[in-house]
Amino acid sequence: MNKQLLPCVEINPTTTPTACVIWLHGLGDSGHGFAPIVPELKLPSSLAVKFIFPHAPERPITINGGMRMRAWYDIKSMDFDSRADLAGVQESAEQVEQLIQAQIDNGIPANRIVLAGFSQGGVIALHIAPRIKHKFAGVLALSTYMCEPTLLVNDAQNTNKTTPIMMAHGEQDEVVPVFMGNAAYEVLKGNGFDVTWQTYMMQHNVCIEELNDISAWLQKVLK
């Protein structure tokens, strides 16, 4: 196992952090992509939340002609059933779990950690959360889908069954069609997870209304 932690953008509160949000970016982006949203969330300083935005490793992406870019896994096909490369997802999940463990080792308990992800990053979040031994404060899965959803019935642990999972998607998403996100929601719900589903009039991005809802949700799960 590669013990070297993923490089990250880290944004710390003014006081010693007592909670942490680990936020995973989408295909071709980096940890810098979502870092500017932290002030937009307008979280109260009393929450003392540290944000960590890891950079995915660079790898060749089949659907982009083998071009190398930051990605959590290869995309060999845009088909619904085979879009996410399971081996790549598992490898990235292992790296993110090392990052989670590092926060726990540094004094932030798992139940004060929120795992968040957009698009490809959301796929990793939804792969880790139902399987990991640590109970999170919450899971945030934005404009995303699930890798090999049929595996969940055998892989799911009870640890995060009661952990709030917020899923949100753009109704006009042309990259990850809304039905893919809703299918992941239904699989999680069918396996007994505490998941909510919300759509917004947007494409494959985030909007102000969604950010406001995320802020309220974070304040609720981290209060």
XYZ file of all heavy atoms in Angstrom, residues 17-87:
550
model
N -8.982 23.260 14.566
C -10.127 22.582 13.943
C -10.651 21.422 14.793
O -9.877 20.658 15.371
C -9.564 22.067 12.612
C -8.086 22.064 12.760
C -7.762 23.125 13.747
N -11.976 21.345 14.864
C -12.620 20.233 15.569
C -13.472 19.391 14.624
O -14.080 18.411 15.042
C -13.512 20.749 16.710
O -14.532 21.588 16.145
C -12.704 21.542 17.727
N -13.533 19.806 13.360
C -14.282 19.075 12.339
C -13.558 19.227 11.019
O -12.734 20.137 10.849
C -15.712 19.591 12.240
N -13.868 18.343 10.094
C -13.154 18.348 8.816
C -14.090 17.948 7.682
O -14.892 17.020 7.827
C -11.970 17.383 8.899
S -11.028 17.249 7.370
N -13.983 18.663 6.576
C -14.666 18.276 5.341
C -13.592 17.913 4.323
O -12.716 18.725 4.014
C -15.548 19.422 4.788
C -16.162 19.025 3.440
C -16.651 19.787 5.779
N -13.635 16.676 3.839
C -12.729 16.225 2.780
C -13.538 16.212 1.488
O -14.505 15.467 1.371
C -12.152 14.832 3.092
C -11.343 14.875 4.395
C -11.284 14.336 1.933
C -10.867 13.511 4.873
N -13.140 17.057 0.535
C -13.957 17.322 -0.663
C -13.179 16.890 -1.905
O -12.103 17.403 -2.187
C -14.281 18.816 -0.714
C -15.357 19.210 -1.675
C -15.416 18.960 -3.020
C -16.541 19.961 -1.367
N -16.544 19.494 -3.565
C -17.260 20.118 -2.574
C -17.048 20.528 -0.188
C -18.470 20.816 -2.647
C -18.247 21.213 -0.259
C -18.958 21.360 -1.474
N -13.740 15.956 -2.652
C -13.074 15.356 -3.808
C -13.595 15.962 -5.110
O -14.806 15.981 -5.356
C -13.301 13.836 -3.816
C -13.030 13.105 -2.493
C -13.418 11.637 -2.613
C -11.567 13.251 -2.081
N -12.673 16.426 -5.943
C -13.034 17.125 -7.191
C -13.441 16.159 -8.300
O -13.370 14.935 -8.172
C -11.863 18.007 -7.645
C -10.619 17.231 -7.993
N -10.486 16.514 -9.162
C -9.436 17.052 -7.330
C -9.284 15.951 -9.217
N -8.631 16.252 -8.104
N -13.824 16.728 -9.442
C -14.234 15.950 -10.599
C -13.106 15.745 -11.608
O -11.967 16.195 -11.397
N -13.417 15.081 -12.695
C -12.453 14.736 -13.740
C -11.767 15.978 -14.308
O -12.428 16.943 -14.688
C -13.178 13.992 -14.872
C -12.343 13.616 -16.098
C -11.280 12.594 -15.752
C -13.240 13.095 -17.222
N -10.425 15.932 -14.359
C -9.658 17.011 -14.981
C -9.506 18.252 -14.128
O -8.852 19.210 -14.533
N -10.100 18.254 -12.962
C -9.999 19.395 -12.047
C -8.854 19.118 -11.067
O -8.040 18.216 -11.278
C -11.333 19.583 -11.322
C -11.505 20.965 -10.707
O -10.593 21.805 -10.837
O -12.565 21.207 -10.092
N -8.770 19.889 -10.007
C -7.790 19.653 -8.954
C -8.401 20.125 -7.644
O -9.527 20.639 -7.620
C -6.498 20.431 -9.231
O -6.697 21.816 -8.979
N -7.654 19.970 -6.565
C -8.131 20.445 -5.275
C -8.397 21.943 -5.245
O -9.187 22.423 -4.435
N -7.757 22.664 -6.167
C -7.961 24.123 -6.213
C -9.352 24.490 -6.735
O -9.836 25.591 -6.494
C -6.909 24.777 -7.109
C -5.509 24.649 -6.592
N -5.061 25.349 -5.482
C -4.458 23.900 -7.016
C -3.779 25.025 -5.251
N -3.400 24.146 -6.162
N -9.995 23.561 -7.453
C -11.258 23.878 -8.123
C -12.368 24.281 -7.183
O -13.110 25.233 -7.449
N -12.525 23.549 -6.083
C -13.624 23.826 -5.161
C -13.203 24.653 -3.951
O -14.065 25.100 -3.186
C -14.273 22.521 -4.693
C -15.336 22.016 -5.633
C -15.041 21.019 -6.556
C -16.609 22.548 -5.624
C -16.010 20.561 -7.449
C -17.582 22.101 -6.494
C -17.285 21.101 -7.407
N -11.905 24.871 -3.768
C -11.449 25.620 -2.588
C -12.124 26.994 -2.435
O -12.438 27.405 -1.306
C -9.929 25.763 -2.615
N -12.397 27.729 -3.548
C -13.018 29.048 -3.392
C -14.432 29.037 -2.818
O -14.960 30.091 -2.462
C -13.029 29.599 -4.826
C -11.942 28.863 -5.539
C -11.968 27.489 -4.944
N -15.069 27.859 -2.726
C -16.441 27.867 -2.191
C -16.475 27.992 -0.674
O -17.530 28.284 -0.118
C -17.243 26.617 -2.604
C -16.745 25.389 -1.858
C -17.275 26.410 -4.089
C -17.792 24.332 -1.713
N -15.332 27.778 -0.007
C -15.355 27.776 1.468
C -15.947 29.076 2.020
O -16.883 29.035 2.837
C -13.955 27.483 2.056
C -13.975 27.622 3.572
C -13.506 26.074 1.661
N -15.478 30.255 1.594
C -16.109 31.475 2.122
C -17.566 31.630 1.697
O -18.370 32.235 2.423
C -15.239 32.609 1.554
C -14.455 32.001 0.439
C -14.300 30.560 0.761
N -17.918 31.055 0.525
C -19.305 31.149 0.040
C -20.268 30.377 0.954
O -21.461 30.690 1.018
C -19.413 30.592 -1.382
C -18.548 31.281 -2.418
C -18.974 32.716 -2.684
O -20.200 32.984 -2.634
O -18.089 33.564 -2.905
N -19.764 29.379 1.647
C -20.623 28.580 2.529
C -20.996 29.338 3.805
O -21.973 28.987 4.472
C -19.923 27.266 2.889
C -19.749 26.273 1.736
C -18.832 25.128 2.148
C -21.089 25.729 1.260
N -20.200 30.357 4.147
C -20.497 31.224 5.294
C -20.774 30.411 6.577
O -21.734 30.673 7.301
C -21.685 32.150 4.988
C -21.453 33.085 3.806
C -22.657 33.982 3.581
C -22.407 35.029 2.501
N -22.220 34.455 1.155
N -19.923 29.433 6.831
C -20.090 28.634 8.044
C -19.662 29.442 9.259
O -18.678 30.190 9.200
C -19.259 27.352 7.961
C -19.629 26.366 6.846
C -18.680 25.176 6.857
C -21.074 25.905 6.975
N -20.366 29.316 10.371
C -19.965 30.058 11.575
C -18.591 29.585 12.066
O -18.284 28.384 12.025
C -21.061 29.719 12.592
C -21.743 28.505 12.073
C -21.592 28.514 10.592
N -17.780 30.514 12.526
C -16.429 30.178 12.977
C -16.452 29.211 14.154
O -15.508 28.457 14.379
C -15.654 31.442 13.353
O -16.352 32.158 14.358
N -17.575 29.200 14.899
C -17.684 28.313 16.056
C -17.643 26.832 15.666
O -17.321 25.980 16.501
C -18.981 28.600 16.824
O -20.100 28.420 15.964
N -17.944 26.520 14.409
C -17.888 25.129 13.957
C -16.449 24.632 13.824
O -16.202 23.433 13.861
C -18.603 24.956 12.614
C -20.129 24.838 12.632
C -20.659 24.562 11.231
C -20.598 23.754 13.587
N -15.511 25.557 13.625
C -14.073 25.236 13.530
C -13.802 24.104 12.535
O -13.210 23.079 12.864
C -13.511 24.880 14.906
N -14.270 24.320 11.312
C -14.152 23.289 10.273
C -12.906 23.508 9.420
O -12.688 24.600 8.890
C -15.387 23.282 9.348
C -15.284 22.140 8.332
C -16.670 23.146 10.146
N -12.125 22.454 9.285
C -11.007 22.436 8.339
C -11.501 21.802 7.039
O -12.192 20.784 7.054
C -9.853 21.615 8.921
C -8.738 21.318 7.924
C -7.483 20.772 8.594
C -7.689 19.399 9.162
N -6.422 18.811 9.683
N -11.138 22.408 5.899
C -11.474 21.849 4.593
C -10.210 21.301 3.942
O -9.178 21.970 3.916
C -12.089 22.911 3.688
C -13.544 23.185 3.962
C -13.927 24.040 4.980
C -14.532 22.588 3.192
C -15.261 24.299 5.242
C -15.877 22.835 3.444
C -16.250 23.693 4.469
N -10.322 20.098 3.420
C -9.213 19.474 2.703
C -9.690 19.119 1.300
O -10.707 18.437 1.134
C -8.730 18.208 3.439
C -8.153 18.589 4.797
C -7.700 17.460 2.611
C -7.742 17.401 5.635
N -8.974 19.619 0.305
C -9.310 19.369 -1.097
C -8.137 18.625 -1.746
O -7.189 19.239 -2.242
C -9.556 20.691 -1.830
C -10.694 21.513 -1.262
C -10.448 22.513 -0.326
C -12.000 21.293 -1.666
C -11.486 23.286 0.194
C -13.044 22.054 -1.155
C -12.786 23.046 -0.225
N -8.168 17.289 -1.741
C -7.047 16.540 -2.318
C -7.002 16.617 -3.837
O -8.031 16.816 -4.497
C -7.297 15.107 -1.843
C -8.727 15.043 -1.477
C -9.186 16.424 -1.145
N -5.804 16.474 -4.389
C -5.605 16.379 -5.835
C -5.598 14.907 -6.230
O -4.799 14.116 -5.695
C -4.262 16.983 -6.248
C -4.043 18.402 -5.801
N -4.853 19.441 -6.163
C -3.076 18.946 -5.012
C -4.402 20.573 -5.625
N -3.326 20.289 -4.920
N -6.427 14.528 -7.183
C -6.360 13.167 -7.714
C -5.053 12.996 -8.488
O -4.511 13.959 -9.042
C -7.545 12.915 -8.647
N -4.522 11.775 -8.551
C -3.335 11.526 -9.384
C -3.666 11.746 -10.868
O -4.832 11.698 -11.262
C -3.021 10.047 -9.115
C -3.783 9.682 -7.884
C -4.986 10.562 -7.850
N -2.623 11.980 -11.660
C -2.821 12.065 -13.111
C -2.803 10.666 -13.701
O -2.011 9.820 -13.291
C -1.723 12.924 -13.746
C -1.855 14.393 -13.423
C -0.888 15.242 -14.233
O -0.096 14.664 -15.012
O -0.938 16.472 -14.090
N -3.687 10.426 -14.673
C -3.741 9.132 -15.342
C -4.326 9.319 -16.739
O -5.040 10.294 -16.988
C -4.564 8.131 -14.521
C -6.041 8.440 -14.435
C -6.746 7.440 -13.523
N -6.515 7.748 -12.120
C -6.328 6.818 -11.178
N -6.344 5.544 -11.490
N -6.128 7.176 -9.921
N -4.027 8.412 -17.676
C -4.626 8.521 -19.007
C -6.118 8.179 -18.963
O -6.523 7.253 -18.253
C -3.845 7.492 -19.834
C -3.206 6.569 -18.862
C -3.066 7.306 -17.564
N -6.911 8.948 -19.693
C -8.361 8.753 -19.714
C -8.778 8.271 -21.106
O -8.630 8.994 -22.098
C -9.106 10.052 -19.338
C -8.691 10.513 -17.932
C -10.619 9.849 -19.414
C -8.998 9.533 -16.817
N -9.315 7.066 -21.157
C -9.620 6.406 -22.430
C -10.554 7.241 -23.300
O -10.287 7.428 -24.500
C -10.239 5.019 -22.166
O -9.319 4.249 -21.383
C -10.533 4.296 -23.467
N -11.656 7.762 -22.721
C -12.632 8.486 -23.551
C -12.080 9.814 -24.058
O -12.641 10.395 -24.982
C -13.966 8.740 -22.805
C -13.737 9.561 -21.519
C -14.701 7.441 -22.527
C -14.993 10.249 -21.024
N -10.972 10.281 -23.483
C -10.327 11.512 -23.950
C -9.080 11.187 -24.759
O -8.096 11.941 -24.745
C -9.985 12.428 -22.764
C -11.229 13.043 -22.145
O -12.292 13.043 -22.758
N -11.123 13.540 -20.938
N -9.119 10.063 -25.459
C -8.013 9.686 -26.334
C -6.731 9.352 -25.599
O -5.638 9.466 -26.153
N -6.844 8.927 -24.335
C -5.669 8.568 -23.553
C -4.924 9.757 -22.978
O -3.823 9.603 -22.428
N -5.514 10.943 -23.072
C -4.870 12.140 -22.509
C -4.752 12.007 -20.991
O -5.674 11.539 -20.328
C -5.709 13.379 -22.852
C -5.080 14.705 -22.443
S -6.176 16.112 -22.782
C -6.395 15.949 -24.556
N -3.602 12.406 -20.463
C -3.393 12.348 -19.016
C -4.010 13.569 -18.343
O -3.842 14.698 -18.806
C -1.893 12.288 -18.685
C -1.240 10.973 -19.074
C 0.215 10.934 -18.632
N 0.338 10.897 -17.172
C 0.261 9.778 -16.440
N 0.042 8.623 -17.023
N 0.413 9.825 -15.134
N -4.708 13.334 -17.264
C -5.301 14.426 -16.485
C -5.581 13.909 -15.079
O -5.531 12.699 -14.835
C -6.588 14.932 -17.131
C -7.673 13.894 -17.288
S -9.081 14.537 -18.237
C -8.317 14.776 -19.821
N -5.846 14.832 -14.183
C -6.187 14.412 -12.827
C -7.537 13.693 -12.856
O -8.527 14.224 -13.357
C -6.245 15.608 -11.882
C -4.863 16.214 -11.616
C -4.852 17.076 -10.368
N -3.556 17.689 -10.149
C -2.520 17.077 -9.576
N -2.642 15.828 -9.163
N -1.375 17.706 -9.414
N -7.553 12.494 -12.310
C -8.774 11.692 -12.318
C -8.692 10.653 -11.211
O -7.618 10.144 -10.904
C -8.950 10.999 -13.667
N -9.826 10.335 -10.650
C -9.876 9.320 -9.599
C -9.911 7.912 -10.188
O -9.653 6.932 -9.495
C -11.074 9.563 -8.685
C -10.994 10.878 -7.956
C -11.758 11.996 -8.192
C -10.097 11.236 -6.902
N -11.386 13.016 -7.347
C -10.369 12.585 -6.537
C -9.082 10.552 -6.221
C -9.673 13.253 -5.531
C -8.389 11.218 -5.220
C -8.688 12.552 -4.874
N -10.256 7.809 -11.478
C -10.282 6.515 -12.175
C -10.429 6.785 -13.661
O -10.778 7.894 -14.081
C -11.443 5.630 -11.676
C -12.791 6.324 -11.690
C -13.584 6.354 -12.842
C -13.269 6.978 -10.560
C -14.799 7.008 -12.862
C -14.487 7.643 -10.573
C -15.251 7.650 -11.724
O -16.450 8.310 -11.744
N -10.149 5.767 -14.460
C -10.308 5.876 -15.908
C -11.790 5.772 -16.279
O -12.577 5.136 -15.573
C -9.522 4.750 -16.596
C -9.477 4.901 -18.120
O -9.757 6.018 -18.626
O -9.139 3.909 -18.783
N -12.152 6.427 -17.364
C -13.490 6.259 -17.942
C -13.291 5.659 -19.329
O -12.804 6.330 -20.239
C -14.257 7.597 -18.028
C -14.444 8.183 -16.621
C -15.605 7.398 -18.708
C -15.153 9.526 -16.595
N -13.651 4.391 -19.457
C -13.430 3.687 -20.717
C -14.632 3.788 -21.644
O -14.518 3.591 -22.848
C -13.100 2.216 -20.430
C -11.772 2.048 -19.673
C -11.528 0.627 -19.228
C -10.208 0.553 -18.454
N -10.005 -0.747 -17.804
N -15.794 4.099 -21.073
C -17.032 4.148 -21.845
C -17.985 5.086 -21.121
O -17.916 5.246 -19.900
C -17.622 2.741 -21.934
O -19.008 2.780 -22.108
N -18.879 5.709 -21.864
C -19.890 6.573 -21.240
C -21.148 5.787 -20.883
O -22.144 6.356 -20.437
C -20.243 7.736 -22.176
C -19.103 8.717 -22.383
S -18.531 9.487 -20.850
C -19.808 10.745 -20.625
N -21.129 4.475 -21.081
C -22.292 3.656 -20.767
C -22.637 3.746 -19.281
O -21.750 3.803 -18.426
C -22.040 2.184 -21.120
C -21.916 1.960 -22.626
O -22.314 2.870 -23.379
O -21.421 0.899 -23.030
N -23.904 3.671 -18.999
C -24.399 3.773 -17.622
C -23.766 2.721 -16.718
O -23.329 3.005 -15.608
C -25.925 3.632 -17.638
C -26.544 3.493 -16.276
C -26.367 4.478 -15.319
C -27.311 2.383 -15.951
C -26.947 4.358 -14.064
C -27.886 2.267 -14.696
C -27.706 3.251 -13.754
N -23.696 1.483 -17.194
C -23.271 0.375 -16.340
C -21.759 0.259 -16.172
O -21.294 -0.395 -15.243
C -23.815 -0.959 -16.885
C -25.328 -1.057 -16.743
O -25.854 -0.533 -15.738
O -25.972 -1.633 -17.638
N -20.991 0.850 -17.093
C -19.544 0.601 -17.060
C -18.711 1.878 -17.134
O -17.582 1.863 -17.586
C -19.157 -0.331 -18.222
O -19.592 0.206 -19.455
N -19.276 2.983 -16.675
C -18.559 4.262 -16.790
C -17.364 4.341 -15.843
O -16.322 4.869 -16.197
C -19.511 5.433 -16.535
C -18.847 6.775 -16.791
C -19.783 7.951 -16.649
N -20.846 7.966 -17.639
C -21.545 9.064 -17.947
N -21.271 10.204 -17.342
N -22.498 9.019 -18.833
N -17.522 3.823 -14.635
C -16.448 3.922 -13.646
C -15.629 2.637 -13.637
O -16.176 1.545 -13.550
C -17.035 4.187 -12.263
N -14.319 2.780 -13.728
C -13.383 1.646 -13.696
C -13.201 1.205 -12.253
O -12.611 1.923 -11.436
C -12.058 2.092 -14.317
C -10.949 1.091 -14.082
O -11.165 -0.096 -14.351
O -9.862 1.506 -13.626
N -13.700 0.014 -11.920
C -13.730 -0.446 -10.529
C -12.342 -0.487 -9.896
O -12.167 -0.066 -8.752
C -14.398 -1.822 -10.445
C -14.492 -2.436 -9.044
C -15.288 -1.552 -8.097
C -15.102 -3.839 -9.121
N -11.351 -0.989 -10.629
C -9.997 -1.084 -10.059
C -9.465 0.300 -9.699
O -8.859 0.491 -8.634
C -9.059 -1.772 -11.042
